[in-house]
Amino acid sequence: MRFDLYAEEALYGPQGFYTQHGRAGTQGGDFITSPETSTLFGGCVASYLDQVWHELKCPDPFVVVEAGSGIGSLCRDIFLSIQDCADALRYVMIERSDHQRETAFARVTESCFIDREEIPVAALKDLPVGPFVGVVLANELLDNLPPRVVRKAAEGWLELHVENGNEAWQPAENSAATMAASLAPKASPGTTLPLHVKGAVWINRAMKLLERGRILAFDYGVENSEALLDRPLGEWLRTYRGHHRAGTPYAEPGTRDITCDVAFDQLPGSPRISLQADWLVSQGIESMTEWAREQWRDAAASPDSTAVAARQVLDEAAALTSQTGLGAFLVAEWQISD
């Protein structure tokens, strides 16, 4: 079976990793994303949404679609932080896992709308019907859209298949070989490369949803596919389970997350790309944590509970902006106009 088809089934099929149990989170999770690291991330995204709402001339409704919403951490933190566009905001969480989707809706409702009869939140399995004015968010979604994987041969390209729990390389179809050759015309034999066909399709779908607005995607990866050519396959195609690397992706499908660094040049359009650390600074993370810096500075010698809480906030901010961790993730923004 071709690798991308195998991985799709292993992640999202009836016995797939996300269908059964896999999720982000510190307790009982398999990996940590920015929303689980700190509520500061949601605060920065809320600041961004307020800014975009003004740039779009204050539309009402202002629709925000979050793809791959998991258990609702980002949605919850946005509603707890949003200011200017709060009354206009209509939020749609997209999550393929039935269990996570139900959990997310309950968490957001109980955290943000316990006393309201009508809530501006929906939870769906797939993208809604457009067009609308607003923002499409994707935090660590693209890395979980399985790529096709190719390897340069002495002549032409081979494509990765999975057979009986092992990798098998077969001659690539013309479409895959042509795409690989255009991305890496000088590739040496043995070089491997992901082809983000599903990622490109997803971005195209998101673009068609928007009458006006933005697409904002956070993920680990590279700006240019050529940056992957000198890296071994096992470095940019990885598995995780229980916060640890989980070995080969080819065996025991459904028992581990399968993820791939994103080559953003393979996605359509011309997004503006920045480091997550820089993006968070642009959205005010330093001003959000100024109180914590002052509190810790004044009480560091003999910290009380308030100072300890301030220190935790500073540690969370440092984790989000670390150049050797989450801060090195890429943020891609597409602007969609009339």
Side-chain angles (χ1 to χ4, degrees):
M1 179 183 292
R2 207 173 68 195
F3 173 77
D4 60 316
L5 303 178
Y6 162 84
E8 179 77 17
E9 185 71 12
L11 292 173
Y12 306 111
Q15 302 300 317
F17 178 76
Y18 286 107
T19 307
Q20 296 298 309
H21 52 74
R23 67 173 181 86
T26 53
Q27 296 183 347
D30 295 281
F31 48 85
I32 298 293
T33 66
S34 294
E36 284 74 39
T37 299
S38 177
T39 58
L40 290 167
F41 184 77
C44 288
V45 176
S47 174
Y48 170 83
L49 294 176
D50 278 333
Q51 172 189 319
V52 171
W53 183 66
H54 284 291
E55 291 174 356
L56 296 175
K57 309 302 181 185
C58 306
D60 189 357
F62 178 53
V63 180
V64 173
V65 173
E66 181 197 350
S69 55
I71 57 174
S73 299
L74 180 56
C75 177
R76 176 201 61 196
D77 295 342
I78 286 173
F79 272 106
L80 292 175
S81 302
I82 204 75
Q83 296 185 30
D84 297 358
C85 68
D87 291 340
L89 181 59
R90 303 293 182 270
Y91 202 103
V92 183
M93 294 184 288
I94 307 299
E95 176 53 55
R96 294 173 72 170
S97 164
D98 294 340
H99 175 69
Q100 290 195 62
R101 190 169 62 253
E102 293 167 3
T103 299
F105 188 79
R107 287 184 78 207
V108 173
T109 301
E110 293 168 3
S111 299
C112 307
F113 305 106
I114 193 66
D115 296 324
R116 291 178 57 172
E117 293 184 3
E118 296 184 3
I119 63 173
V121 178
L124 306 178
K125 195 164 189 173
D126 198 3
L127 292 173
V129 176
F132 55 79
V133 178
V135 175
V136 178
L137 299 173
N139 180 59
E140 294 194 47
L141 169 79
L142 297 172
D143 65 90
N144 269 145
L145 300 181
R148 299 176 72 167
V149 178
V150 293
R151 171 182 287 171
K152 185 69 172 70
E155 294 185 9
W157 291 82
L158 304 175
E159 182 161 8
L160 177 61
H161 288 65
V162 179
E163 296 180 357
N164 300 319
N166 297 294
E167 64 178 61
W169 295 91
Q170 300 180 12
E173 298 174 2
N174 287 338
S175 59
T178 299
M179 181 177 178
S182 66
L183 291 168
K186 298 180 180 180
S188 302
T191 297
T192 54
L193 190 69
L195 303 180
H196 297 292
V197 178
K198 285 184 171 66
V201 169
W202 190 89
I203 292 294
N204 270 322
R205 289 186 65 197
M207 287 177 167
K208 292 177 181 178
L209 284 179
L210 291 170
E211 177 183 332
R212 291 183 296 124
R214 308 284 188 271
I215 301 170
L216 189 70
F218 303 82
D219 230 313
Y220 38 83
V222 295
E223 291 192 48
N224 194 293
S225 298
E226 291 187 347
L228 298 174
L229 297 182
D230 294 329
R231 294 169 57 186
L233 172 63
E235 186 176 302
W236 50 259
L237 182 67
R238 300 179 296 276
T239 62
Y240 291 94
R241 179 175 56 203
H243 302 286
H244 298 286
R245 294 287 291 271
T248 174
Y250 314 124
E252 299 179 317
T255 64
R256 64 203 71 190
D257 185 25
I258 302 173
T259 180
C260 179
D261 283 8
V262 179
F264 280 84
D265 63 320
Q266 296 186 27
L267 304 178
S270 300
R272 179 170 57 187
I273 296 179
S274 59
L275 290 176
Q276 177 167 302
D278 296 334
W279 187 88
L280 291 171
V281 169
S282 75
Q283 298 305 318
I285 193 170
E286 292 184 343
S287 61
M288 292 178 190
T289 54
E290 179 60 31
W291 70 270
R293 282 190 293 275
E294 293 178 356
Q295 184 72 40
W296 181 251
R297 183 173 58 246
D298 294 342
S302 181
D304 56 13
S305 59
T306 302
V308 171
R311 180 68 260 174
Q312 180 177 343
V313 169
L314 296 177
D315 289 345
E316 291 173 0
L320 288 174
T321 56
S322 170
Q323 296 286 354
T324 59
L326 293 170
F329 283 20
L330 297 181
V331 183
E333 181 191 43
W334 288 259
Q335 295 193 18
I336 310 299
S337 57
D338 294 339

